[in-house]
Structures are given as C-alpha cells and as structure tokens.
Amino acid sequence: MKDVIVWQRIEGGLVFVAALALYGPMTPVLPWWAALVVFFAPDLSFFAYGAGTRIGAWVYNLAHVYALGAGLMALGGLLGLPLLTTLGALWLAHSGFDRMLGYGLKAQTSFKDTHLGRLGKAG
C-alpha cells in the first residue's frame, strides 16, 4: 500500500508542475499577491469542519479534487475567459501541491484521515 501512496504523491507533484506550466505563459490577469491568495483559497474549505466531519470532508474534498481546477480551466478556455482559466490553473496547482505533500482527500471519520493515510505522527 505504501508504494501506491508514493505514486499518488508523485502524481500530485506532476499535476502541480503541469498546472504551473500551463499558468506560466498565460497573460497575467492577477497581480502576484492575488495569484498567491487564489492558490491557497481552497484551504478555506477547512472551515466547513465547523459543521461537522461529514460536511467538512465533503466540502474539503469538493474543493480539492483535480476535476474542479481542470474544469474551471477548460470552461475558461471554451468561453474565452482568461480569469476563469487562471483560477482553474491555480486551483489545480493547489490540489496537486497538497497531494504532493501528503494531504489527501478526507474521510468522514476525521480531518486527519485521508486517502493517503493518517496525517501526523503514528500513534
């Protein structure tokens, strides 16, 4: 099982790099500080845990699936909306960054229970 987790973390790193590579040549639509805020914005979904672990996990996972960032990028490209494409690239990069660091999608049991294993020290 550990080898699968390593592969998923590598995949996260590749998604992070790929999303940044797509973002890089885009015409800047956000100042650097706003891009940084958007990059970390998905982590605000953590506050949904105030409504309980079930709702918290659902909202957190929705904000951290690759499909959300990829979908925003695709929609922005199809509609010719550079801001939406930029938001999607940064959102996708964030999800990959989190997975690379070992922060996986959350189980409903606890914020620390993820599809990449339990966060923190064992035991």
Short mmCIF file of all heavy atoms in Angstrom, two decimals, residues 45-74:
data_model
loop_
_atom_site.label_atom_id
_atom_site.label_comp_id
_atom_site.label_asym_id
_atom_site.label_seq_id
_atom_site.Cartn_x
_atom_site.Cartn_y
_atom_site.Cartn_z
N SER A 45 -11.76 25.85 2.67
CA SER A 45 -12.81 24.82 2.82
C SER A 45 -12.68 24.09 4.16
O SER A 45 -13.62 23.45 4.61
CB SER A 45 -12.75 23.83 1.66
OG SER A 45 -11.50 23.15 1.65
N PHE A 46 -11.54 24.20 4.80
CA PHE A 46 -11.32 23.62 6.13
C PHE A 46 -12.38 24.11 7.12
O PHE A 46 -12.79 23.37 8.01
CB PHE A 46 -9.92 23.99 6.63
CG PHE A 46 -9.69 23.70 8.08
CD1 PHE A 46 -9.42 22.42 8.50
CD2 PHE A 46 -9.76 24.71 9.02
CE1 PHE A 46 -9.21 22.14 9.85
CE2 PHE A 46 -9.55 24.45 10.37
CZ PHE A 46 -9.28 23.15 10.78
N PHE A 47 -12.82 25.34 6.95
CA PHE A 47 -13.79 25.90 7.89
C PHE A 47 -15.13 25.17 7.87
O PHE A 47 -15.92 25.29 8.81
CB PHE A 47 -13.97 27.40 7.65
CG PHE A 47 -12.78 28.20 8.08
CD1 PHE A 47 -11.96 28.80 7.13
CD2 PHE A 47 -12.45 28.32 9.42
CE1 PHE A 47 -10.85 29.52 7.51
CE2 PHE A 47 -11.32 29.04 9.81
CZ PHE A 47 -10.53 29.64 8.86
N ALA A 48 -15.40 24.41 6.83
CA ALA A 48 -16.64 23.62 6.78
C ALA A 48 -16.67 22.56 7.87
O ALA A 48 -17.74 22.05 8.22
CB ALA A 48 -16.80 22.97 5.40
N TYR A 49 -15.51 22.24 8.42
CA TYR A 49 -15.48 21.27 9.53
C TYR A 49 -16.20 21.81 10.77
O TYR A 49 -16.54 21.04 11.66
CB TYR A 49 -14.05 20.86 9.86
CG TYR A 49 -13.56 19.75 8.97
CD1 TYR A 49 -12.96 20.02 7.76
CD2 TYR A 49 -13.75 18.42 9.32
CE1 TYR A 49 -12.54 19.01 6.92
CE2 TYR A 49 -13.34 17.40 8.50
CZ TYR A 49 -12.73 17.70 7.30
OH TYR A 49 -12.34 16.69 6.47
N GLY A 50 -16.48 23.09 10.80
CA GLY A 50 -17.28 23.66 11.88
C GLY A 50 -18.69 23.11 11.89
O GLY A 50 -19.38 23.13 12.91
N ALA A 51 -19.14 22.59 10.74
CA ALA A 51 -20.47 21.99 10.62
C ALA A 51 -20.44 20.48 10.84
O ALA A 51 -21.45 19.81 10.65
CB ALA A 51 -21.06 22.30 9.25
N GLY A 52 -19.28 19.95 11.22
CA GLY A 52 -19.15 18.52 11.48
C GLY A 52 -18.23 17.86 10.46
O GLY A 52 -17.95 18.41 9.40
N THR A 53 -17.77 16.66 10.81
CA THR A 53 -16.79 15.98 9.95
C THR A 53 -17.39 15.52 8.63
O THR A 53 -16.70 15.53 7.61
CB THR A 53 -16.15 14.77 10.66
OG1 THR A 53 -17.18 13.88 11.09
CG2 THR A 53 -15.31 15.20 11.85
N ARG A 54 -18.64 15.14 8.61
CA ARG A 54 -19.25 14.68 7.36
C ARG A 54 -19.33 15.81 6.33
O ARG A 54 -18.89 15.68 5.20
CB ARG A 54 -20.65 14.10 7.63
CG ARG A 54 -21.24 13.41 6.44
CD ARG A 54 -22.54 12.68 6.82
NE ARG A 54 -23.45 12.81 5.72
CZ ARG A 54 -24.47 13.65 5.64
NH1 ARG A 54 -24.76 14.43 6.64
NH2 ARG A 54 -25.22 13.72 4.57
N ILE A 55 -19.87 16.94 6.75
CA ILE A 55 -19.99 18.10 5.85
C ILE A 55 -18.60 18.66 5.56
O ILE A 55 -18.29 19.02 4.41
CB ILE A 55 -20.91 19.17 6.46
CG1 ILE A 55 -22.35 18.65 6.46
CG2 ILE A 55 -20.80 20.48 5.70
CD1 ILE A 55 -23.33 19.52 7.20
N GLY A 56 -17.74 18.73 6.57
CA GLY A 56 -16.39 19.23 6.38
C GLY A 56 -15.62 18.43 5.35
O GLY A 56 -14.98 19.01 4.46
N ALA A 57 -15.70 17.11 5.44
CA ALA A 57 -14.99 16.25 4.47
C ALA A 57 -15.56 16.45 3.07
O ALA A 57 -14.80 16.54 2.09
CB ALA A 57 -15.09 14.79 4.88
N TRP A 58 -16.86 16.55 2.95
CA TRP A 58 -17.50 16.71 1.64
C TRP A 58 -17.06 18.02 0.99
O TRP A 58 -16.66 18.04 -0.17
CB TRP A 58 -19.02 16.65 1.78
CG TRP A 58 -19.72 16.51 0.47
CD1 TRP A 58 -20.02 15.35 -0.16
CD2 TRP A 58 -20.18 17.58 -0.37
NE1 TRP A 58 -20.65 15.63 -1.36
CE2 TRP A 58 -20.76 16.99 -1.50
CE3 TRP A 58 -20.16 18.96 -0.28
CZ2 TRP A 58 -21.31 17.74 -2.53
CZ3 TRP A 58 -20.71 19.70 -1.31
CH2 TRP A 58 -21.28 19.09 -2.41
N VAL A 59 -17.12 19.12 1.74
CA VAL A 59 -16.75 20.43 1.19
C VAL A 59 -15.25 20.48 0.88
O VAL A 59 -14.83 20.94 -0.18
CB VAL A 59 -17.16 21.57 2.16
CG1 VAL A 59 -16.58 22.90 1.72
CG2 VAL A 59 -18.67 21.64 2.27
N TYR A 60 -14.43 19.97 1.81
CA TYR A 60 -12.98 19.96 1.60
C TYR A 60 -12.63 19.16 0.35
O TYR A 60 -11.83 19.60 -0.48
CB TYR A 60 -12.28 19.38 2.83
CG TYR A 60 -10.78 19.46 2.75
CD1 TYR A 60 -10.09 20.54 3.29
CD2 TYR A 60 -10.04 18.46 2.13
CE1 TYR A 60 -8.72 20.63 3.21
CE2 TYR A 60 -8.66 18.54 2.04
CZ TYR A 60 -8.01 19.61 2.58
OH TYR A 60 -6.64 19.70 2.49
N ASN A 61 -13.22 17.98 0.21
CA ASN A 61 -12.92 17.13 -0.95
C ASN A 61 -13.39 17.77 -2.25
O ASN A 61 -12.69 17.70 -3.26
CB ASN A 61 -13.54 15.74 -0.78
CG ASN A 61 -12.86 14.95 0.32
OD1 ASN A 61 -11.74 15.25 0.72
ND2 ASN A 61 -13.54 13.94 0.83
N LEU A 62 -14.54 18.40 -2.23
CA LEU A 62 -15.03 19.09 -3.43
C LEU A 62 -14.04 20.16 -3.86
O LEU A 62 -13.76 20.33 -5.05
CB LEU A 62 -16.41 19.71 -3.17
CG LEU A 62 -17.00 20.51 -4.33
CD1 LEU A 62 -17.28 19.59 -5.52
CD2 LEU A 62 -18.27 21.20 -3.89
N ALA A 63 -13.48 20.88 -2.90
CA ALA A 63 -12.54 21.96 -3.21
C ALA A 63 -11.16 21.44 -3.61
O ALA A 63 -10.37 22.20 -4.15
CB ALA A 63 -12.40 22.88 -2.00
N HIS A 64 -10.89 20.16 -3.38
CA HIS A 64 -9.55 19.63 -3.63
C HIS A 64 -9.48 18.53 -4.69
O HIS A 64 -8.42 17.94 -4.87
CB HIS A 64 -8.94 19.13 -2.31
CG HIS A 64 -8.47 20.24 -1.43
ND1 HIS A 64 -9.33 20.92 -0.59
CD2 HIS A 64 -7.26 20.82 -1.28
CE1 HIS A 64 -8.65 21.85 0.05
NE2 HIS A 64 -7.39 21.82 -0.36
N VAL A 65 -10.55 18.26 -5.38
CA VAL A 65 -10.46 17.27 -6.47
C VAL A 65 -9.83 17.93 -7.69
O VAL A 65 -10.03 19.12 -7.94
CB VAL A 65 -11.83 16.64 -6.83
CG1 VAL A 65 -12.39 15.83 -5.68
CG2 VAL A 65 -12.81 17.69 -7.30
N TYR A 66 -9.05 17.17 -8.42
CA TYR A 66 -8.40 17.70 -9.62
C TYR A 66 -9.43 18.22 -10.63
O TYR A 66 -9.18 19.18 -11.34
CB TYR A 66 -7.57 16.62 -10.30
CG TYR A 66 -6.34 16.18 -9.55
CD1 TYR A 66 -5.96 14.85 -9.53
CD2 TYR A 66 -5.52 17.09 -8.87
CE1 TYR A 66 -4.81 14.43 -8.87
CE2 TYR A 66 -4.39 16.69 -8.21
CZ TYR A 66 -4.03 15.36 -8.21
OH TYR A 66 -2.90 14.95 -7.57
N ALA A 67 -10.56 17.57 -10.69
CA ALA A 67 -11.57 17.91 -11.70
C ALA A 67 -12.08 19.35 -11.56
O ALA A 67 -12.45 19.95 -12.57
CB ALA A 67 -12.74 16.94 -11.62
N LEU A 68 -12.11 19.89 -10.37
CA LEU A 68 -12.60 21.26 -10.20
C LEU A 68 -11.68 22.26 -10.91
O LEU A 68 -12.14 23.07 -11.71
CB LEU A 68 -12.75 21.61 -8.72
CG LEU A 68 -13.30 23.01 -8.44
CD1 LEU A 68 -14.69 23.18 -9.03
CD2 LEU A 68 -13.32 23.29 -6.96
N GLY A 69 -10.39 22.18 -10.64
CA GLY A 69 -9.45 23.07 -11.30
C GLY A 69 -9.40 22.84 -12.80
O GLY A 69 -9.41 23.80 -13.59
N ALA A 70 -9.36 21.58 -13.20
CA ALA A 70 -9.32 21.26 -14.63
C ALA A 70 -10.58 21.74 -15.34
O ALA A 70 -10.53 22.27 -16.45
CB ALA A 70 -9.13 19.76 -14.83
N GLY A 71 -11.72 21.58 -14.68
CA GLY A 71 -12.99 22.03 -15.25
C GLY A 71 -13.06 23.54 -15.41
O GLY A 71 -13.53 24.04 -16.43
N LEU A 72 -12.56 24.26 -14.40
CA LEU A 72 -12.53 25.72 -14.49
C LEU A 72 -11.61 26.18 -15.63
O LEU A 72 -11.95 27.09 -16.38
CB LEU A 72 -12.06 26.33 -13.17
CG LEU A 72 -13.03 26.27 -12.00
CD1 LEU A 72 -12.35 26.76 -10.72
CD2 LEU A 72 -14.28 27.07 -12.29
N MET A 73 -10.47 25.50 -15.76
CA MET A 73 -9.55 25.84 -16.85
C MET A 73 -10.21 25.60 -18.21
O MET A 73 -10.14 26.44 -19.10
CB MET A 73 -8.28 24.99 -16.78
CG MET A 73 -7.27 25.47 -15.80
SD MET A 73 -5.77 24.47 -15.85
CE MET A 73 -5.20 24.80 -17.50
N ALA A 74 -10.85 24.45 -18.34
CA ALA A 74 -11.49 24.11 -19.62
C ALA A 74 -12.63 25.08 -19.93
O ALA A 74 -12.75 25.57 -21.06
CB ALA A 74 -12.01 22.68 -19.57
#
